Amino acid sequence: MMMAGIQDNGTIQLAKGKWYTVLGGDGMVCAIDPKDTNYQYGEIYYGAIYQSDDAGHSFLNQVGGNGIGNITEAGDWVTPYAISNSNNNAMFAGYKNLWKCSYLKTISPAWTQLSNNLASSNSAFIEEIEQCASDSNTLYMSRNDNTFFISSNINSSTPTWTDLTSKLPNSGALVNAIRTHPKYSNVVYIIQNEDVYVSLNRGGSWTKITGSLPNIPKNVIVVD
């Protein structure tokens, strides 16, 4: 089973060998509950997140967005969100601040704000979030004001943040992709400009590993 958001063309789902349109509008980020595929999530612009509890046949319950469940701000055109890798009933979403919902499968889920004015301006939005695949207490976050942060206690009710912006290999460039290693909690990959970098010390220093990849925009990293 697979989902994909297609800007201007809705959200599509691959199930039993066929593609179906399951949500209209501008298709954005998608997620399928890894433990219960009845629960699926699709999104349209500025962070309006919709939930299906019937394997994608209907997305009637809006669970995220400005004015939904305590969220008081809009997100970027494409707002990042992800099901927690330690609790499939929890979700992180990045608007101007990072928010968390701990009881996602309720009719009107509540959200808690986990960051406060980390941006250099009130107009900045979160660009990418990545909960560490091998350490669920760690989460990385980039913003479209070219800043980059890590929290080592993201599951706390009041997580703390460390600004890693000064450690980035390209000062003043957007981090437009983040991916952690599935086995080694200190290893994290990012993309800045057209280059790919790896850190072996949780963002303290970086090594370029672009190698022979062409000098064109790159948007996604996946660890095989």
Side-chain angles (χ1 to χ4, degrees), residues 8 15 21 29 57 65 69-70 83-84 97 108-109 122 134 136-137 153 177 185 211 215 221:
D8 299 325
T21 298
V29 179
H57 294 288
N70 306 331
I83 299 170
S84 169
N97 288 284
S108 300
N122 291 332
S134 56
S136 62
N137 289 311
N153 60 342
S185 60
N215 189 34
I221 305 169

Side-chain angles (χ1 to χ4, degrees), residues 129-217:
I129 58 175
E130 168 77 352
Q131 188 180 19
C132 182
S134 56
D135 175 12
S136 62
N137 289 311
T138 298
L139 185 140
Y140 296 90
M141 176 173 72
S142 67
R143 309 186 62 98
N144 63 5
D145 59 353
N146 303 329
T147 54
F148 187 59
F149 297 88
I150 183 176
S151 173
S152 298
N153 60 342
I154 195 61
N155 292 311
S156 166
S157 58
T158 54
T160 54
W161 296 91
T162 300
D163 190 342
L164 297 175
T165 307
S166 64
K167 307 292 185 180
L168 289 173
N170 289 310
S171 177
L174 176 68
V175 175
N176 69 332
I178 313 168
R179 189 71 63 172
T180 55
H181 197 280
K183 294 183 179 179
Y184 307 116
S185 60
N186 288 334
V187 179
V188 58
Y189 303 87
I190 62 170
I191 293 174
Q192 278 192 299
N193 295 329
E194 281 75 45
D195 288 313
V196 186
Y197 298 88
V198 63
S199 172
L200 306 182
N201 55 10
R202 298 164 64 89
S205 60
W206 299 89
T207 300
K208 185 163 75 171
I209 57 170
T210 311
S212 60
L213 289 174
N215 189 34
I216 58 175

Side-chain angles (χ1 to χ4, degrees), residues 8-208:
D8 299 325
N9 288 278
T11 295
I12 58 175
Q13 178 206 74
L14 176 66
K16 298 181 179 180
K18 294 183 179 181
W19 287 101
Y20 302 90
T21 298
V22 294
L23 190 64
D26 288 285
M28 304 292 190
V29 179
C30 305
I32 299 175
D33 190 313
K35 296 182 179 180
D36 184 353
T37 57
N38 283 315
Y39 285 90
Q40 302 182 11
Y41 302 87
E43 178 192 41
I44 60 174
Y45 36 78
Y46 307 125
I49 304 168
Y50 292 84
Q51 179 194 74
S52 170
D53 62 2
D54 57 5
H57 294 288
S58 60
F59 285 80
L60 301 178
N61 189 24
Q62 185 177 350
V63 295
N66 191 6
I68 301 295
N70 306 331
I71 298 176
T72 57
E73 56 198 21
D76 204 358
W77 174 249
V78 180
T79 294
Y81 69 91
I83 299 170
S84 169
N85 60 26
S86 60
N87 176 7
N88 66 320
N89 196 29
M91 177 179 283
F92 298 99
Y95 294 85
K96 287 187 176 181
N97 288 284
L98 186 73
W99 296 74
K100 181 180 181 180
C101 177
S102 296
Y103 301 97
L104 195 56
K105 297 171 185 176
T106 59
I107 297 299
S108 300
W111 291 77
T112 301
Q113 185 175 327
L114 297 184
S115 68
N116 186 25
N117 299 323
L118 294 175
S120 60
S121 72
N122 291 332
S123 61
F125 296 98
I126 294 173
E127 178 78 13
E128 291 287 329
I129 58 175
E130 168 77 352
Q131 188 180 19
C132 182
S134 56
D135 175 12
S136 62
N137 289 311
T138 298
L139 185 140
Y140 296 90
M141 176 173 72
S142 67
R143 309 186 62 98
N144 63 5
D145 59 353
N146 303 329
T147 54
F148 187 59
F149 297 88
I150 183 176
S151 173
S152 298
N153 60 342
I154 195 61
N155 292 311
S156 166
S157 58
T158 54
T160 54
W161 296 91
T162 300
D163 190 342
L164 297 175
T165 307
S166 64
K167 307 292 185 180
L168 289 173
N170 289 310
S171 177
L174 176 68
V175 175
N176 69 332
I178 313 168
R179 189 71 63 172
T180 55
H181 197 280
K183 294 183 179 179
Y184 307 116
S185 60
N186 288 334
V187 179
V188 58
Y189 303 87
I190 62 170
I191 293 174
Q192 278 192 299
N193 295 329
E194 281 75 45
D195 288 313
V196 186
Y197 298 88
V198 63
S199 172
L200 306 182
N201 55 10
R202 298 164 64 89
S205 60
W206 299 89
T207 300
K208 185 163 75 171

